[in-house]
Amino acid sequence: MIEAAIAVPLFIILVSSIIQLGFIANSYVQMQDAVRFAAREMSVGRVTSGGGVYTNTCASASGQAATTAQRVVCDQVSALPGNFSVVADQNASGASLVRLTIPLNDLLFFNINFLGGGGTLTAEASYGNEES
């Protein structure tokens, strides 16, 4: 009985950690797909950078036209929980950069501040103009 009292909590922590890591990995894949798509669309001229940083679950991008990179990213990651920020930039030669950042604690089931803070999960993609 004592063995079960020790083993069961450890097993529950292990299983919940595996589930948590799977959820974070899935969120990262969604984020990476969204920024890659937005950067590609920006580099070929289908969307503009829109300027600025959009935060708070993309609420500030809701008034933006669907032709801004921030709005494209926000539409694709709207199912993710928490507050996130989207930065899009394009230089004069047409190279584009899109970055999406989410605080890790917003994605977690448990608060991990006791481990020294949660950090952030960041996905970034850039595409260059292929014309020389």
Side-chain angles (χ1 to χ4, degrees), residues 6 16 18 22 42 51-52 58-59 71 76 83 91 96 98 104-105 108 120 127:
I6 294 172
S16 63
I18 291 170
M42 238 172 53
C58 290
R71 187 67 197 169
Q76 291 196 7
N83 299 320
N91 65 19
S96 59
V98 180
L104 198 54
N105 278 340
L108 299 176
T120 59
Y127 275 85

Side-chain angles (χ1 to χ4, degrees), residues 14-111:
L14 178 68
V15 169
S16 63
S17 298
I18 291 170
I19 292 170
Q20 190 76 49
L21 287 174
F23 183 71
I24 290 171
N26 182 47
S27 298
Y28 181 73
V29 168
Q30 288 179 0
M31 291 168 57
Q32 193 63 43
D33 286 345
V35 296
R36 187 181 316 114
F37 179 73
R40 185 173 47 244
E41 293 294 299
M42 238 172 53
S43 71
V44 297
R46 291 190 187 133
V47 298
T48 62
S49 66
V53 177
Y54 293 89
T55 59
N56 196 16
T57 320
C58 290
S60 56
S62 62
Q64 290 285 325
T67 58
T68 63
Q70 286 91 344
R71 187 67 197 169
V72 169
V73 171
C74 289
D75 288 345
Q76 291 196 7
V77 296
S78 61
L80 292 179
N83 299 320
F84 43 87
S85 64
V86 181
V87 178
D89 191 22
Q90 191 167 25
N91 65 19
S93 67
S96 59
L97 169 71
V98 180
R99 180 181 299 121
L100 171 63
T101 304
I102 299 178
L104 198 54
N105 278 340
D106 289 351
L107 295 174
L108 299 176
F109 299 129
F110 340 100
N111 191 338

Side-chain angles (χ1 to χ4, degrees), residues 1-16:
M1 199 61 155
I2 291 177
E3 296 86 5
I6 294 172
V8 169
L10 293 176
F11 181 73
I12 290 172
I13 289 171
L14 178 68
V15 169
S16 63

